[in-house]
Amino acid sequence: MIDRPTHRYGTFILAAAVYVAGVILFSLWSFNAHSRALHNYVDKALVDAAFALEELLNCNALTELEQNASAENTEFVVASKQLERVALHGNFSAVLAGTVRQNQINIIISGSTESRSEQRSLAHELLLTEKLKNRILQMAAEGRHATEMFTTIHPAFGKIRYALIYKPDTPEQGHLYATAQESRHIEQQLGNQLLRMGIAAIGMLLLAIPLITLFNRTQRLAARHLTELNNRLQNDVDSQRAREEELKDAIKDLERFNAVSAGRESRIIELKAEVNDLLKELKRDKRYTIDKID
């Protein structure tokens, strides 16, 4: 009988480890793929919004708003509401338009998801970092129409991703269109996605419990069936061996009987020959016909 409990449980442990590793690797791959897709989506949305600002506020419109930047100016109020809607629908931290002149950045109009009274201050706050200011001034110094993605660390808002468009009017000045998104919004979405994926992974692991139970039951039934087959085979082997022993004894008996029978036959032939010889001496006919035995 063959007993393989160690092999059976070793196979089960290996299968369980492969399943768990597969769930973890798939979850990590899915999270990384979602993270890349989300960052690409945010970058595309920022660039599209920056181009929308450029179309919405062309150079002439922006120049007029700069000259009449007042809450009493109807066109300025309408443009502010438009930027506010762009920021709100795109869930951007801030959208803004301004001018770059003589190494000075002047934000003319802005919008964000914050209250209207805080929009302008927030837009100024988002441009406080020297790294971002230097990059905008460098784009202006190059004197060409350029679009660029830029990331910087803000002391108050943390990591921020920007889409910047600079459109020169003259070699000395140009217009700036920018959209900004705080990374905390992206990280929050990724955190929610990670939570959902974690719940899904736990669910997949919980689903493995009935599979494990079924696997164990199948293994037990297979082991029981194998044991029965082994016992039946062992009984057949023992019966065959007993039969072989009986056949060997019968063969030995036959050999002994054959030896005895062969000796008897030889003696009978000799006696018949003697009888025939005696009858010949008495001048009588032979009584026996003797067949020689090989």
Side-chain angles (χ1 to χ4, degrees):
M1 182 177 64
I2 303 174
D3 186 15
R4 296 184 178 179
T6 304
H7 175 71
R8 184 171 69 251
Y9 289 114
T11 303
F12 166 73
I13 292 173
L14 178 61
V18 170
Y19 178 81
V20 173
V23 171
I24 293 174
L25 290 176
F26 175 77
S27 299
L28 292 175
W29 172 83
S30 181
F31 176 76
N32 289 332
H34 179 78
S35 177
R36 290 192 299 270
L38 181 60
H39 282 89
N40 292 336
Y41 172 79
V42 170
D43 285 353
K44 185 177 183 302
L46 288 171
V47 171
D48 290 345
F51 278 112
L53 290 180
E54 185 181 7
E55 292 293 329
L56 185 65
L57 300 171
N58 56 40
C59 298
N60 294 331
L62 201 56
T63 301
E64 291 179 4
L65 290 177
E66 184 179 17
Q67 294 172 355
N68 300 285
S70 172
E72 298 177 356
N73 184 356
T74 304
E75 293 181 358
F76 184 85
V77 173
V78 171
S80 295
K81 290 182 179 180
Q82 289 176 333
L83 264 66
E84 182 181 352
R85 286 195 295 271
V86 170
L88 184 62
H89 293 162
N91 195 28
F92 301 121
S93 300
V95 296
L96 55 95
T99 59
V100 181
R101 187 181 298 116
Q102 297 177 352
N103 290 334
Q104 294 293 325
I105 301 173
N106 179 30
I107 299 175
I108 299 173
I109 190 169
S110 62
S112 74
T113 54
E114 304 294 334
S115 63
R116 194 170 301 171
S117 61
E118 297 175 349
Q119 289 177 11
R120 189 171 179 84
S121 62
L122 177 60
H124 282 82
E125 285 290 329
L126 289 174
L127 285 174
L128 275 180
T129 59
E130 290 297 326
K131 188 176 181 181
L132 179 61
K133 288 181 180 180
N134 293 335
R135 183 57 199 150
I136 294 174
L137 294 176
Q138 184 179 355
M139 291 174 66
E142 293 173 358
R144 58 185 178 85
H145 192 180
T147 303
E148 183 175 320
M149 299 300 301
F150 189 78
T151 303
T152 186
I153 304 297
H154 193 281
F157 300 99
K159 187 177 180 181
I160 302 179
R161 185 73 167 162
Y162 297 90
L164 306 173
I165 296 179
Y166 179 76
K167 187 174 184 181
D169 288 337
T170 65
E172 292 80 18
Q173 68 179 25
H175 292 85
L176 172 69
Y177 304 92
T179 54
Q181 179 65 280
E182 298 174 62
S183 292
R184 62 185 178 89
H185 297 300
I186 303 175
E187 292 170 357
Q188 183 178 4
Q189 294 183 49
L190 289 176
N192 294 335
Q193 177 67 14
L194 183 61
L195 178 61
R196 289 192 295 269
M197 292 181 61
I199 295 174
I202 293 173
M204 292 177 67
L205 292 176
L206 291 177
L207 286 175
I209 293 177
L211 295 177
I212 292 173
T213 304
L214 179 63
F215 176 81
N216 284 335
R217 182 171 177 273
T218 304
Q219 287 291 94
R220 286 195 299 269
L221 291 176
R224 187 183 306 168
H225 184 61
L226 180 61
T227 301
E228 292 175 356
L229 290 177
N230 285 336
N231 291 334
R232 193 178 304 170
L233 179 61
Q234 188 65 41
N235 292 334
D236 291 343
V237 170
D238 292 341
S239 299
Q240 185 67 22
R241 287 177 179 174
R243 181 62 179 164
E244 288 178 358
E245 293 296 330
E246 291 177 1
L247 290 175
K248 288 180 181 179
D249 294 339
I251 290 172
K252 289 180 180 178
D253 292 340
L254 288 174
E255 288 177 349
R256 286 194 296 267
F257 178 76
N258 186 46
V260 173
S261 298
R264 245 179 106 187
E265 188 69 21
S266 299
R267 182 57 181 159
I268 291 172
I269 291 172
E270 290 177 357
L271 291 174
K272 286 181 177 182
E274 290 179 2
V275 170
N276 286 337
D277 290 340
L278 292 173
L279 290 173
K280 185 178 180 181
E281 290 177 1
L282 294 175
K283 296 181 180 180
R284 293 183 181 180
D285 295 332
K286 294 181 180 180
R287 180 178 295 180
Y288 301 105
T289 299
I290 300 173
D291 295 329
K292 294 184 178 180
I293 300 178
D294 295 334

PDB file of all heavy atoms in Angstrom, residues 64-73 76 108 120:
ATOM      1  N   GLU A  64      -7.331  93.440 -22.845  1.00  0.00           N
ATOM      2  CA  GLU A  64      -8.448  94.276 -22.412  1.00  0.00           C
ATOM      3  C   GLU A  64      -8.803  94.018 -20.950  1.00  0.00           C
ATOM      4  O   GLU A  64      -9.088  94.953 -20.195  1.00  0.00           O
ATOM      5  CB  GLU A  64      -9.665  94.011 -23.305  1.00  0.00           C
ATOM      6  CG  GLU A  64      -9.488  94.505 -24.741  1.00  0.00           C
ATOM      7  CD  GLU A  64     -10.700  94.194 -25.602  1.00  0.00           C
ATOM      8  OE1 GLU A  64     -11.693  93.658 -25.035  1.00  0.00           O
ATOM      9  OE2 GLU A  64     -10.665  94.483 -26.807  1.00  0.00           O
ATOM     10  N   LEU A  65      -8.775  92.752 -20.548  1.00  0.00           N
ATOM     11  CA  LEU A  65      -9.079  92.436 -19.151  1.00  0.00           C
ATOM     12  C   LEU A  65      -8.006  92.992 -18.223  1.00  0.00           C
ATOM     13  O   LEU A  65      -8.294  93.410 -17.105  1.00  0.00           O
ATOM     14  CB  LEU A  65      -9.195  90.917 -18.972  1.00  0.00           C
ATOM     15  CG  LEU A  65     -10.405  90.242 -19.612  1.00  0.00           C
ATOM     16  CD1 LEU A  65     -10.331  88.740 -19.407  1.00  0.00           C
ATOM     17  CD2 LEU A  65     -11.701  90.787 -19.030  1.00  0.00           C
ATOM     18  N   GLU A  66      -6.765  92.991 -18.672  1.00  0.00           N
ATOM     19  CA  GLU A  66      -5.687  93.548 -17.855  1.00  0.00           C
ATOM     20  C   GLU A  66      -5.898  95.044 -17.636  1.00  0.00           C
ATOM     21  O   GLU A  66      -5.627  95.562 -16.542  1.00  0.00           O
ATOM     22  CB  GLU A  66      -4.343  93.286 -18.526  1.00  0.00           C
ATOM     23  CG  GLU A  66      -3.145  93.742 -17.695  1.00  0.00           C
ATOM     24  CD  GLU A  66      -1.820  93.450 -18.381  1.00  0.00           C
ATOM     25  OE1 GLU A  66      -1.822  93.204 -19.604  1.00  0.00           O
ATOM     26  OE2 GLU A  66      -0.777  93.468 -17.692  1.00  0.00           O
ATOM     27  N   GLN A  67      -6.407  95.708 -18.637  1.00  0.00           N
ATOM     28  CA  GLN A  67      -6.633  97.150 -18.517  1.00  0.00           C
ATOM     29  C   GLN A  67      -7.876  97.474 -17.681  1.00  0.00           C
ATOM     30  O   GLN A  67      -7.988  98.550 -17.098  1.00  0.00           O
ATOM     31  CB  GLN A  67      -6.770  97.766 -19.913  1.00  0.00           C
ATOM     32  CG  GLN A  67      -5.483  97.697 -20.739  1.00  0.00           C
ATOM     33  CD  GLN A  67      -5.687  98.125 -22.172  1.00  0.00           C
ATOM     34  OE1 GLN A  67      -6.815  98.400 -22.593  1.00  0.00           O
ATOM     35  NE2 GLN A  67      -4.582  98.209 -22.927  1.00  0.00           N
ATOM     36  N   ASN A  68      -8.811  96.505 -17.634  1.00  0.00           N
ATOM     37  CA  ASN A  68     -10.056  96.755 -16.895  1.00  0.00           C
ATOM     38  C   ASN A  68     -10.325  95.617 -15.914  1.00  0.00           C
ATOM     39  O   ASN A  68     -11.412  95.035 -15.889  1.00  0.00           O
ATOM     40  CB  ASN A  68     -11.238  96.890 -17.862  1.00  0.00           C
ATOM     41  CG  ASN A  68     -11.054  98.032 -18.839  1.00  0.00           C
ATOM     42  OD1 ASN A  68     -11.192  99.197 -18.484  1.00  0.00           O
ATOM     43  ND2 ASN A  68     -10.725  97.687 -20.092  1.00  0.00           N
ATOM     44  N   ALA A  69      -9.311  95.226 -15.145  1.00  0.00           N
ATOM     45  CA  ALA A  69      -9.449  94.142 -14.173  1.00  0.00           C
ATOM     46  C   ALA A  69     -10.183  94.668 -12.953  1.00  0.00           C
ATOM     47  O   ALA A  69      -9.586  95.110 -11.968  1.00  0.00           O
ATOM     48  CB  ALA A  69      -8.082  93.589 -13.792  1.00  0.00           C
ATOM     49  N   SER A  70     -11.501  94.607 -13.003  1.00  0.00           N
ATOM     50  CA  SER A  70     -12.315  95.148 -11.910  1.00  0.00           C
ATOM     51  C   SER A  70     -13.582  94.316 -11.780  1.00  0.00           C
ATOM     52  O   SER A  70     -14.128  93.808 -12.770  1.00  0.00           O
ATOM     53  CB  SER A  70     -12.663  96.613 -12.160  1.00  0.00           C
ATOM     54  OG  SER A  70     -13.592  97.074 -11.208  1.00  0.00           O
ATOM     55  N   ALA A  71     -14.072  94.199 -10.560  1.00  0.00           N
ATOM     56  CA  ALA A  71     -15.304  93.469 -10.315  1.00  0.00           C
ATOM     57  C   ALA A  71     -16.506  94.169 -10.924  1.00  0.00           C
ATOM     58  O   ALA A  71     -17.582  93.568 -11.071  1.00  0.00           O
ATOM     59  CB  ALA A  71     -15.511  93.286  -8.820  1.00  0.00           C
ATOM     60  N   GLU A  72     -16.336  95.436 -11.292  1.00  0.00           N
ATOM     61  CA  GLU A  72     -17.436  96.183 -11.905  1.00  0.00           C
ATOM     62  C   GLU A  72     -17.458  95.989 -13.422  1.00  0.00           C
ATOM     63  O   GLU A  72     -18.437  96.377 -14.073  1.00  0.00           O
ATOM     64  CB  GLU A  72     -17.293  97.665 -11.579  1.00  0.00           C
ATOM     65  CG  GLU A  72     -17.373  97.950 -10.079  1.00  0.00           C
ATOM     66  CD  GLU A  72     -17.157  99.413  -9.767  1.00  0.00           C
ATOM     67  OE1 GLU A  72     -16.863 100.170 -10.723  1.00  0.00           O
ATOM     68  OE2 GLU A  72     -17.277  99.798  -8.586  1.00  0.00           O
ATOM     69  N   ASN A  73     -16.410  95.438 -13.977  1.00  0.00           N
ATOM     70  CA  ASN A  73     -16.342  95.203 -15.414  1.00  0.00           C
ATOM     71  C   ASN A  73     -17.104  93.918 -15.736  1.00  0.00           C
ATOM     72  O   ASN A  73     -16.758  92.828 -15.269  1.00  0.00           O
ATOM     73  CB  ASN A  73     -14.882  95.093 -15.855  1.00  0.00           C
ATOM     74  CG  ASN A  73     -14.746  94.954 -17.373  1.00  0.00           C
ATOM     75  OD1 ASN A  73     -15.724  94.867 -18.088  1.00  0.00           O
ATOM     76  ND2 ASN A  73     -13.510  94.951 -17.833  1.00  0.00           N
ATOM     77  N   PHE A  76     -15.070  91.142 -17.347  1.00  0.00           N
ATOM     78  CA  PHE A  76     -14.163  90.513 -16.380  1.00  0.00           C
ATOM     79  C   PHE A  76     -14.930  89.518 -15.505  1.00  0.00           C
ATOM     80  O   PHE A  76     -14.446  88.413 -15.223  1.00  0.00           O
ATOM     81  CB  PHE A  76     -13.501  91.591 -15.516  1.00  0.00           C
ATOM     82  CG  PHE A  76     -12.476  91.033 -14.557  1.00  0.00           C
ATOM     83  CD1 PHE A  76     -11.188  90.810 -14.964  1.00  0.00           C
ATOM     84  CD2 PHE A  76     -12.825  90.721 -13.243  1.00  0.00           C
ATOM     85  CE1 PHE A  76     -10.243  90.289 -14.084  1.00  0.00           C
ATOM     86  CE2 PHE A  76     -11.898  90.205 -12.361  1.00  0.00           C
ATOM     87  CZ  PHE A  76     -10.598  89.985 -12.790  1.00  0.00           C
ATOM     88  N   ILE A 108      -3.692  87.967 -14.281  1.00  0.00           N
ATOM     89  CA  ILE A 108      -4.801  88.875 -14.562  1.00  0.00           C
ATOM     90  C   ILE A 108      -6.125  88.287 -14.074  1.00  0.00           C
ATOM     91  O   ILE A 108      -6.926  88.968 -13.432  1.00  0.00           O
ATOM     92  CB  ILE A 108      -4.869  89.175 -16.068  1.00  0.00           C
ATOM     93  CG1 ILE A 108      -3.563  89.846 -16.517  1.00  0.00           C
ATOM     94  CG2 ILE A 108      -6.073  90.050 -16.404  1.00  0.00           C
ATOM     95  CD1 ILE A 108      -3.468  90.016 -18.019  1.00  0.00           C
ATOM     96  N   ARG A 120      -8.299  84.365  -6.406  1.00  0.00           N
ATOM     97  CA  ARG A 120      -7.126  85.121  -6.831  1.00  0.00           C
ATOM     98  C   ARG A 120      -5.953  84.881  -5.892  1.00  0.00           C
ATOM     99  O   ARG A 120      -4.822  84.698  -6.327  1.00  0.00           O
ATOM    100  CB  ARG A 120      -7.458  86.615  -6.915  1.00  0.00           C
ATOM    101  CG  ARG A 120      -6.351  87.439  -7.562  1.00  0.00           C
ATOM    102  CD  ARG A 120      -6.806  88.853  -7.821  1.00  0.00           C
ATOM    103  NE  ARG A 120      -5.743  89.644  -8.422  1.00  0.00           N
ATOM    104  CZ  ARG A 120      -5.473  89.657  -9.712  1.00  0.00           C
ATOM    105  NH1 ARG A 120      -6.165  88.911 -10.543  1.00  0.00           N
ATOM    106  NH2 ARG A 120      -4.492  90.417 -10.195  1.00  0.00           N
TER     107      ARG A 120
END
